Amino acid sequence: MTSKTETGSEQVAGEALGYEQARDELIEVVRRLEAGGTSLEESLALWERGEELAKVCRRWLEGARARLDAALAEEAGEGDGQDGREG
């Protein structure tokens, strides 16, 4: 049996958070870090959370890019030789 570690929490974060949720939380983390006034331990925890959220956002954006690329490739394939004009 495996214990819940960072891998488990990263998996949960990736599955549970949508792009907008992760982005909004990341913005809040950055704002808190920039404002200062936190202990070193708190700052490190915020930074680690920010890194995790950035990965979640990156995965969402990469997935969206892949979907767009697939749709564009499909559209280009359908359009080849089927533009209604005959030679």
Side-chain angles (χ1 to χ4, degrees):
M1 199 169 247
T2 60
S3 63
K4 289 203 172 206
T5 60
E6 284 184 9
T7 305
S9 67
E10 286 177 10
Q11 183 179 6
V12 169
E15 292 174 359
L17 289 178
Y19 172 77
E20 290 80 6
Q21 292 171 308
R23 182 202 59 211
D24 291 346
E25 188 178 340
L26 180 56
I27 290 168
E28 178 62 24
V29 166
V30 170
R31 190 164 40 117
R32 289 180 61 193
L33 284 169
E34 288 177 340
T38 57
S39 69
L40 177 60
E41 191 64 31
E42 289 172 314
S43 295
L44 286 172
L46 285 169
W47 179 80
E48 289 171 345
R49 181 62 178 159
E51 287 291 320
E52 185 177 318
L53 291 164
K55 287 178 187 176
V56 171
C57 290
R58 192 174 307 113
R59 281 194 298 267
W60 276 105
L61 292 172
E62 288 170 354
R65 169 54 66 190
R67 288 176 59 191
L68 286 171
D69 289 345
L72 290 172
E74 183 179 315
E75 183 178 295
E78 289 176 359
D80 289 344
Q82 298 181 5
D83 61 1
R85 286 184 277 164
E86 294 186 25

